Amino acid sequence: MPDSGAPSGPGDAVDPEELRLLRARVAALETDLDTVRAALPTAAPTEGPVRHRARSVLAVVLIVLGCLLAPLSVVAAWSAELVGDTGRYVDTVRPLASDPDVQNAVADAVSDAVVARLDLPVLLQSAAPDRRPLLEQALGVLGEPLQDAVRSFVHDKARAVVASAAFERIWADANRRVHDTLDKALTGSGDGAVRLEKDSVTLDLAPVVEDVKERLADDGLTVARRIPTLHTDFTLVRSDDIGRIRTYVRLLKLAGLWLPVVAVLLVAAGVLLAGRRRRALIVSALAFAVTTLLLGVALSVFRVVYLDALPAGVSQPAAGAVYDTLTRFLRTSVRVVVALGVTVAVAAWLTGPGRAAGLVRHLWHSGIAAVRAAAGHAGLRTGPVGPFVRRFRPWITWTLVGATVLTYLLWPYPTGWVVIGLALTLLFALSVADFLAADDTVTGGPPGHASTKETPV
């Protein structure tokens, strides 16, 4: 007996009235739909794209401002440390005491000052009788003119003083004592061993002169003790634009360590506002590195311009050594920021959804899986460590990343090699976690009995 509730078959007749009613209902629905579309505001379809476009423009502006502040922030941090940290300043200028070019320049300045105060005609007569033969032998007066002999003798003693460990101590102690005066010099005021006079920052070499005088007297030239205290200046920095540089240093010192924070926050805000944050992070990190790298190029260019503008009487090698030493930590900071920017960009790219990045990750995991399989066939078992690492792998990963970032932030004075070393250490730690997370049921079977179970990714 046929079911009365069953649907009509294909051969059943269709009621024309029902068909008409169905068509009328469809037409009414279409009319209502058109009415609803017409009632919608015209700005609604464009509201989303306009807002997205505004956010994108704001993100670009913030990222550009942050990247432009990158080199200034590096210089500001360097200026704040150089002027505000006595230990950092002494560590900066300490190598100058052992630099041969600086030693020669200091010896020349000291010997010229001493010889200018010696009365050569009465030099031998003023020497003690028992010291005269020793003095004549030291000066070699029988073989060359007296003036040249005295100059050579004094210069040898001055060179011996500046090449000794005593000079290194004098140099370090003097710079440590006058560090506050350097702050005054860079801000345009103050007296002391470091002074700002017209277009030069000079260091007083009076202690070195006193040491040379004592050595001359000990070697028979007792008249050297009669020379009054000489304040001989050694030029650390010389430039016709020293006044303008002083203003820049004052501004950068006020900015201090806040300018780097502002630059990083601007870039971070731009990345968060961007529609494609990963791509924005990659571009921002590379731009941050490039603008800072331009600072390193500018330092090299300015070095050439600075040395060419020096007067003829200034030692070019010594001035170059002083410039390189004073900017040594600044160049290190440039390398740190460049290495950090490239590292962040590479990390963001490798963790992205791109095909090339996916291929690199696949090769990485495949290599670790092959090593883990070989270790498993050799009988290595992770025991309870493997399940624990698999269970808490995301937490372990972020803990390792956080520990690396914290280590970098707490590192006293990181270098570019420190950044690279921390990145490689993190990569090694992640590889160990990946190795331990492998399932023993996949890799730990006896040789010739590989399991078909797959390790979840």
PDB file of all heavy atoms in Angstrom, residues 185-188 196-201 237-251:
ATOM      1  N   ALA A 185      83.590  70.358  28.732  1.00  0.00           N
ATOM      2  CA  ALA A 185      84.202  70.755  27.461  1.00  0.00           C
ATOM      3  C   ALA A 185      83.228  70.564  26.309  1.00  0.00           C
ATOM      4  O   ALA A 185      83.109  71.407  25.426  1.00  0.00           O
ATOM      5  CB  ALA A 185      85.478  69.948  27.215  1.00  0.00           C
ATOM      6  N   LEU A 186      82.517  69.434  26.325  1.00  0.00           N
ATOM      7  CA  LEU A 186      81.580  69.169  25.241  1.00  0.00           C
ATOM      8  C   LEU A 186      80.354  70.067  25.316  1.00  0.00           C
ATOM      9  O   LEU A 186      79.660  70.250  24.320  1.00  0.00           O
ATOM     10  CB  LEU A 186      81.145  67.696  25.271  1.00  0.00           C
ATOM     11  CG  LEU A 186      82.241  66.690  24.911  1.00  0.00           C
ATOM     12  CD1 LEU A 186      81.719  65.269  25.060  1.00  0.00           C
ATOM     13  CD2 LEU A 186      82.759  66.925  23.506  1.00  0.00           C
ATOM     14  N   THR A 187      80.093  70.610  26.515  1.00  0.00           N
ATOM     15  CA  THR A 187      78.971  71.534  26.636  1.00  0.00           C
ATOM     16  C   THR A 187      79.428  72.989  26.608  1.00  0.00           C
ATOM     17  O   THR A 187      78.620  73.890  26.790  1.00  0.00           O
ATOM     18  CB  THR A 187      78.202  71.277  27.946  1.00  0.00           C
ATOM     19  OG1 THR A 187      79.106  71.341  29.043  1.00  0.00           O
ATOM     20  CG2 THR A 187      77.540  69.922  27.915  1.00  0.00           C
ATOM     21  N   GLY A 188      80.756  73.196  26.395  1.00  0.00           N
ATOM     22  CA  GLY A 188      81.239  74.534  26.114  1.00  0.00           C
ATOM     23  C   GLY A 188      81.773  75.319  27.272  1.00  0.00           C
ATOM     24  O   GLY A 188      81.982  76.513  27.158  1.00  0.00           O
ATOM     25  N   LEU A 196      88.172  73.095  26.025  1.00  0.00           N
ATOM     26  CA  LEU A 196      87.659  73.413  24.701  1.00  0.00           C
ATOM     27  C   LEU A 196      88.089  74.827  24.377  1.00  0.00           C
ATOM     28  O   LEU A 196      87.617  75.782  24.981  1.00  0.00           O
ATOM     29  CB  LEU A 196      86.127  73.291  24.677  1.00  0.00           C
ATOM     30  CG  LEU A 196      85.459  73.621  23.341  1.00  0.00           C
ATOM     31  CD1 LEU A 196      85.925  72.650  22.271  1.00  0.00           C
ATOM     32  CD2 LEU A 196      83.958  73.584  23.461  1.00  0.00           C
ATOM     33  N   GLU A 197      89.051  74.961  23.467  1.00  0.00           N
ATOM     34  CA  GLU A 197      89.586  76.259  23.108  1.00  0.00           C
ATOM     35  C   GLU A 197      89.387  76.481  21.621  1.00  0.00           C
ATOM     36  O   GLU A 197      90.014  75.819  20.791  1.00  0.00           O
ATOM     37  CB  GLU A 197      91.075  76.356  23.470  1.00  0.00           C
ATOM     38  CG  GLU A 197      91.342  76.217  24.974  1.00  0.00           C
ATOM     39  CD  GLU A 197      92.823  76.270  25.288  1.00  0.00           C
ATOM     40  OE1 GLU A 197      93.613  76.206  24.314  1.00  0.00           O
ATOM     41  OE2 GLU A 197      93.186  76.382  26.471  1.00  0.00           O
ATOM     42  N   LYS A 198      88.495  77.410  21.292  1.00  0.00           N
ATOM     43  CA  LYS A 198      88.187  77.776  19.917  1.00  0.00           C
ATOM     44  C   LYS A 198      87.704  76.555  19.140  1.00  0.00           C
ATOM     45  O   LYS A 198      86.537  76.248  19.135  1.00  0.00           O
ATOM     46  CB  LYS A 198      89.402  78.426  19.256  1.00  0.00           C
ATOM     47  CG  LYS A 198      89.804  79.750  19.902  1.00  0.00           C
ATOM     48  CD  LYS A 198      90.979  80.364  19.179  1.00  0.00           C
ATOM     49  CE  LYS A 198      91.393  81.690  19.809  1.00  0.00           C
ATOM     50  NZ  LYS A 198      92.549  82.299  19.134  1.00  0.00           N
ATOM     51  N   ASP A 199      88.612  75.840  18.494  1.00  0.00           N
ATOM     52  CA  ASP A 199      88.179  74.743  17.633  1.00  0.00           C
ATOM     53  C   ASP A 199      88.802  73.406  18.039  1.00  0.00           C
ATOM     54  O   ASP A 199      88.881  72.494  17.232  1.00  0.00           O
ATOM     55  CB  ASP A 199      88.532  75.046  16.173  1.00  0.00           C
ATOM     56  CG  ASP A 199      90.033  75.262  15.978  1.00  0.00           C
ATOM     57  OD1 ASP A 199      90.747  75.281  16.999  1.00  0.00           O
ATOM     58  OD2 ASP A 199      90.465  75.391  14.824  1.00  0.00           O
ATOM     59  N   SER A 200      89.284  73.278  19.304  1.00  0.00           N
ATOM     60  CA  SER A 200      90.007  72.073  19.693  1.00  0.00           C
ATOM     61  C   SER A 200      89.614  71.623  21.089  1.00  0.00           C
ATOM     62  O   SER A 200      89.301  72.442  21.953  1.00  0.00           O
ATOM     63  CB  SER A 200      91.529  72.290  19.643  1.00  0.00           C
ATOM     64  OG  SER A 200      91.944  72.689  18.352  1.00  0.00           O
ATOM     65  N   VAL A 201      89.647  70.325  21.281  1.00  0.00           N
ATOM     66  CA  VAL A 201      89.555  69.720  22.612  1.00  0.00           C
ATOM     67  C   VAL A 201      90.940  69.168  22.923  1.00  0.00           C
ATOM     68  O   VAL A 201      91.428  68.290  22.209  1.00  0.00           O
ATOM     69  CB  VAL A 201      88.497  68.603  22.660  1.00  0.00           C
ATOM     70  CG1 VAL A 201      88.460  67.961  24.042  1.00  0.00           C
ATOM     71  CG2 VAL A 201      87.120  69.152  22.295  1.00  0.00           C
ATOM     72  N   VAL A 237      90.582  66.355  19.708  1.00  0.00           N
ATOM     73  CA  VAL A 237      89.661  66.610  18.599  1.00  0.00           C
ATOM     74  C   VAL A 237      89.887  68.027  18.127  1.00  0.00           C
ATOM     75  O   VAL A 237      90.018  68.953  18.934  1.00  0.00           O
ATOM     76  CB  VAL A 237      88.187  66.427  19.025  1.00  0.00           C
ATOM     77  CG1 VAL A 237      87.254  66.730  17.862  1.00  0.00           C
ATOM     78  CG2 VAL A 237      87.945  65.017  19.546  1.00  0.00           C
ATOM     79  N   ARG A 238      89.939  68.220  16.813  1.00  0.00           N
ATOM     80  CA  ARG A 238      90.110  69.547  16.244  1.00  0.00           C
ATOM     81  C   ARG A 238      89.200  69.673  15.027  1.00  0.00           C
ATOM     82  O   ARG A 238      89.233  68.840  14.136  1.00  0.00           O
ATOM     83  CB  ARG A 238      91.566  69.788  15.833  1.00  0.00           C
ATOM     84  CG  ARG A 238      91.835  71.197  15.306  1.00  0.00           C
ATOM     85  CD  ARG A 238      93.259  71.330  14.827  1.00  0.00           C
ATOM     86  NE  ARG A 238      93.552  72.674  14.380  1.00  0.00           N
ATOM     87  CZ  ARG A 238      94.078  73.624  15.123  1.00  0.00           C
ATOM     88  NH1 ARG A 238      94.368  73.355  16.380  1.00  0.00           N
ATOM     89  NH2 ARG A 238      94.318  74.822  14.656  1.00  0.00           N
ATOM     90  N   SER A 239      88.374  70.708  15.039  1.00  0.00           N
ATOM     91  CA  SER A 239      87.456  70.923  13.918  1.00  0.00           C
ATOM     92  C   SER A 239      87.002  72.375  13.932  1.00  0.00           C
ATOM     93  O   SER A 239      86.789  72.967  14.994  1.00  0.00           O
ATOM     94  CB  SER A 239      86.242  69.985  14.016  1.00  0.00           C
ATOM     95  OG  SER A 239      85.296  70.286  13.001  1.00  0.00           O
ATOM     96  N   ASP A 240      86.847  72.937  12.746  1.00  0.00           N
ATOM     97  CA  ASP A 240      86.339  74.305  12.646  1.00  0.00           C
ATOM     98  C   ASP A 240      84.876  74.393  13.070  1.00  0.00           C
ATOM     99  O   ASP A 240      84.389  75.470  13.410  1.00  0.00           O
ATOM    100  CB  ASP A 240      86.484  74.812  11.202  1.00  0.00           C
ATOM    101  CG  ASP A 240      87.947  74.958  10.796  1.00  0.00           C
ATOM    102  OD1 ASP A 240      88.785  75.132  11.712  1.00  0.00           O
ATOM    103  OD2 ASP A 240      88.242  74.888   9.590  1.00  0.00           O
ATOM    104  N   ASP A 241      84.165  73.254  13.036  1.00  0.00           N
ATOM    105  CA  ASP A 241      82.753  73.225  13.403  1.00  0.00           C
ATOM    106  C   ASP A 241      82.547  72.669  14.806  1.00  0.00           C
ATOM    107  O   ASP A 241      81.511  72.081  15.111  1.00  0.00           O
ATOM    108  CB  ASP A 241      81.972  72.359  12.399  1.00  0.00           C
ATOM    109  CG  ASP A 241      82.018  72.924  10.993  1.00  0.00           C
ATOM    110  OD1 ASP A 241      82.045  74.160  10.869  1.00  0.00           O
ATOM    111  OD2 ASP A 241      82.026  72.127  10.031  1.00  0.00           O
ATOM    112  N   ILE A 242      83.557  72.840  15.684  1.00  0.00           N
ATOM    113  CA  ILE A 242      83.456  72.253  17.012  1.00  0.00           C
ATOM    114  C   ILE A 242      82.289  72.856  17.789  1.00  0.00           C
ATOM    115  O   ILE A 242      81.652  72.173  18.610  1.00  0.00           O
ATOM    116  CB  ILE A 242      84.782  72.457  17.785  1.00  0.00           C
ATOM    117  CG1 ILE A 242      84.807  71.564  19.033  1.00  0.00           C
ATOM    118  CG2 ILE A 242      84.977  73.913  18.153  1.00  0.00           C
ATOM    119  CD1 ILE A 242      84.918  70.123  18.748  1.00  0.00           C
ATOM    120  N   GLY A 243      81.966  74.116  17.544  1.00  0.00           N
ATOM    121  CA  GLY A 243      80.829  74.722  18.229  1.00  0.00           C
ATOM    122  C   GLY A 243      79.520  74.067  17.848  1.00  0.00           C
ATOM    123  O   GLY A 243      78.666  73.781  18.692  1.00  0.00           O
ATOM    124  N   ARG A 244      79.350  73.800  16.559  1.00  0.00           N
ATOM    125  CA  ARG A 244      78.141  73.128  16.116  1.00  0.00           C
ATOM    126  C   ARG A 244      78.096  71.697  16.633  1.00  0.00           C
ATOM    127  O   ARG A 244      77.042  71.200  17.065  1.00  0.00           O
ATOM    128  CB  ARG A 244      78.081  73.132  14.591  1.00  0.00           C
ATOM    129  CG  ARG A 244      76.742  72.694  14.026  1.00  0.00           C
ATOM    130  CD  ARG A 244      76.830  72.505  12.525  1.00  0.00           C
ATOM    131  NE  ARG A 244      77.540  73.610  11.872  1.00  0.00           N
ATOM    132  CZ  ARG A 244      77.902  73.580  10.589  1.00  0.00           C
ATOM    133  NH1 ARG A 244      77.650  72.507   9.853  1.00  0.00           N
ATOM    134  NH2 ARG A 244      78.539  74.603  10.064  1.00  0.00           N
ATOM    135  N   ILE A 245      79.243  70.998  16.608  1.00  0.00           N
ATOM    136  CA  ILE A 245      79.293  69.636  17.130  1.00  0.00           C
ATOM    137  C   ILE A 245      78.953  69.625  18.618  1.00  0.00           C
ATOM    138  O   ILE A 245      78.264  68.728  19.100  1.00  0.00           O
ATOM    139  CB  ILE A 245      80.689  69.031  16.883  1.00  0.00           C
ATOM    140  CG1 ILE A 245      80.940  68.883  15.381  1.00  0.00           C
ATOM    141  CG2 ILE A 245      80.833  67.698  17.575  1.00  0.00           C
ATOM    142  CD1 ILE A 245      82.329  68.434  15.032  1.00  0.00           C
ATOM    143  N   ARG A 246      79.422  70.632  19.348  1.00  0.00           N
ATOM    144  CA  ARG A 246      79.132  70.722  20.774  1.00  0.00           C
ATOM    145  C   ARG A 246      77.626  70.828  21.010  1.00  0.00           C
ATOM    146  O   ARG A 246      77.074  70.207  21.916  1.00  0.00           O
ATOM    147  CB  ARG A 246      79.855  71.933  21.358  1.00  0.00           C
ATOM    148  CG  ARG A 246      79.663  72.134  22.843  1.00  0.00           C
ATOM    149  CD  ARG A 246      80.373  73.399  23.277  1.00  0.00           C
ATOM    150  NE  ARG A 246      79.844  74.559  22.568  1.00  0.00           N
ATOM    151  CZ  ARG A 246      80.477  75.727  22.475  1.00  0.00           C
ATOM    152  NH1 ARG A 246      81.672  75.874  23.001  1.00  0.00           N
ATOM    153  NH2 ARG A 246      79.914  76.730  21.833  1.00  0.00           N
ATOM    154  N   THR A 247      76.932  71.610  20.164  1.00  0.00           N
ATOM    155  CA  THR A 247      75.481  71.731  20.293  1.00  0.00           C
ATOM    156  C   THR A 247      74.800  70.401  20.031  1.00  0.00           C
ATOM    157  O   THR A 247      73.874  70.003  20.752  1.00  0.00           O
ATOM    158  CB  THR A 247      74.956  72.791  19.308  1.00  0.00           C
ATOM    159  OG1 THR A 247      75.610  74.033  19.567  1.00  0.00           O
ATOM    160  CG2 THR A 247      73.454  72.966  19.453  1.00  0.00           C
ATOM    161  N   TYR A 248      75.247  69.686  18.996  1.00  0.00           N
ATOM    162  CA  TYR A 248      74.660  68.379  18.694  1.00  0.00           C
ATOM    163  C   TYR A 248      74.887  67.393  19.837  1.00  0.00           C
ATOM    164  O   TYR A 248      73.984  66.627  20.195  1.00  0.00           O
ATOM    165  CB  TYR A 248      75.256  67.825  17.405  1.00  0.00           C
ATOM    166  CG  TYR A 248      74.906  68.620  16.168  1.00  0.00           C
ATOM    167  CD1 TYR A 248      75.714  68.575  15.038  1.00  0.00           C
ATOM    168  CD2 TYR A 248      73.775  69.424  16.130  1.00  0.00           C
ATOM    169  CE1 TYR A 248      75.394  69.305  13.896  1.00  0.00           C
ATOM    170  CE2 TYR A 248      73.455  70.160  15.006  1.00  0.00           C
ATOM    171  CZ  TYR A 248      74.266  70.096  13.885  1.00  0.00           C
ATOM    172  OH  TYR A 248      73.958  70.821  12.776  1.00  0.00           O
ATOM    173  N   VAL A 249      76.099  67.411  20.399  1.00  0.00           N
ATOM    174  CA  VAL A 249      76.396  66.498  21.511  1.00  0.00           C
ATOM    175  C   VAL A 249      75.506  66.808  22.703  1.00  0.00           C
ATOM    176  O   VAL A 249      75.010  65.901  23.383  1.00  0.00           O
ATOM    177  CB  VAL A 249      77.885  66.598  21.898  1.00  0.00           C
ATOM    178  CG1 VAL A 249      78.158  65.858  23.199  1.00  0.00           C
ATOM    179  CG2 VAL A 249      78.752  66.039  20.786  1.00  0.00           C
ATOM    180  N   ARG A 250      75.275  68.099  22.974  1.00  0.00           N
ATOM    181  CA  ARG A 250      74.406  68.466  24.093  1.00  0.00           C
ATOM    182  C   ARG A 250      72.996  67.944  23.858  1.00  0.00           C
ATOM    183  O   ARG A 250      72.372  67.392  24.780  1.00  0.00           O
ATOM    184  CB  ARG A 250      74.384  69.986  24.253  1.00  0.00           C
ATOM    185  CG  ARG A 250      73.607  70.450  25.469  1.00  0.00           C
ATOM    186  CD  ARG A 250      73.469  71.962  25.512  1.00  0.00           C
ATOM    187  NE  ARG A 250      74.768  72.608  25.565  1.00  0.00           N
ATOM    188  CZ  ARG A 250      75.234  73.408  24.621  1.00  0.00           C
ATOM    189  NH1 ARG A 250      74.524  73.624  23.535  1.00  0.00           N
ATOM    190  NH2 ARG A 250      76.414  73.972  24.739  1.00  0.00           N
ATOM    191  N   LEU A 251      72.486  68.105  22.652  1.00  0.00           N
ATOM    192  CA  LEU A 251      71.133  67.614  22.356  1.00  0.00           C
ATOM    193  C   LEU A 251      71.058  66.091  22.450  1.00  0.00           C
ATOM    194  O   LEU A 251      70.091  65.538  22.985  1.00  0.00           O
ATOM    195  CB  LEU A 251      70.709  68.083  20.960  1.00  0.00           C
ATOM    196  CG  LEU A 251      70.521  69.589  20.782  1.00  0.00           C
ATOM    197  CD1 LEU A 251      70.193  69.915  19.338  1.00  0.00           C
ATOM    198  CD2 LEU A 251      69.423  70.112  21.707  1.00  0.00           C
TER     199      LEU A 251
END
